[in-house]
Amino acid sequence: MSDSTHIVLDDTAMAAAGQGNVLASRLIHRAHAESGWFLYAPACALVEADRARPGTAEHLAALPGITVLELDLPAALALARQETWAAAHSQYAAQPTPDRPDGAVIATTAPKRWTGEPVRVLDLAP
């Protein structure tokens, strides 16, 4: 088990951060200020968040504590498993990797979206 905290922002969490969600803002601050905290923004979820709240993508991509995850071939192949590209890329990003052996938690304001999915969820709903 790792001492690091890895969190994937889904599109709802990203849009909420742009609207001043306190919990999302705290995650962003921690990822920037504290070692061992890592925050990820899957590119497909970033696009969807920007559609919901224009300007979100540029803002989040400019923050030093957030790593934007590109859509690589394995992620693209995983897209067919979910209803939306945003959800698929978020779920794929949360899976264990050599850098994240325990996987990552998905931060969301829509936790019911993830019911029945093999992911851990952090509810950011106000």
Side-chain angles (χ1 to χ4, degrees):
M1 192 147 200
S2 171
D3 289 338
S4 298
T5 301
H6 297 275
I7 300 173
V8 173
L9 298 172
D10 77 356
D11 57 305
T12 67
M14 290 184 219
Q19 295 172 329
N21 180 292
V22 174
L23 297 174
S25 295
R26 285 181 184 163
L27 287 177
I28 291 168
H29 173 73
R30 279 206 155 159
H32 173 68
E34 295 184 30
S35 64
W37 279 77
F38 300 94
L39 208 51
Y40 305 96
C44 292
L46 193 59
V47 168
E48 197 60 37
D50 200 69
R51 287 181 179 163
R53 183 167 169 68
T56 299
E58 255 183 76
H59 176 71
L60 289 176
L63 295 173
I66 297 178
T67 301
V68 176
L69 300 175
E70 296 179 3
L71 181 64
D72 58 8
L73 179 58
L77 296 174
L79 291 181
R81 296 187 190 123
Q82 289 289 336
E83 195 168 311
T84 69
W85 285 32
H89 201 185
S90 297
Q91 183 172 339
Y92 175 79
Q95 300 309 306
T97 67
D99 293 339
R100 298 183 299 275
D102 298 324
V105 175
I106 294 180
T108 185
T109 62
K112 289 183 181 182
R113 164 198 270 182
W114 299 103
T115 300
E117 297 297 335
V119 295
R120 296 173 290 153
V121 173
L122 175 62
D123 186 354
L124 301 181

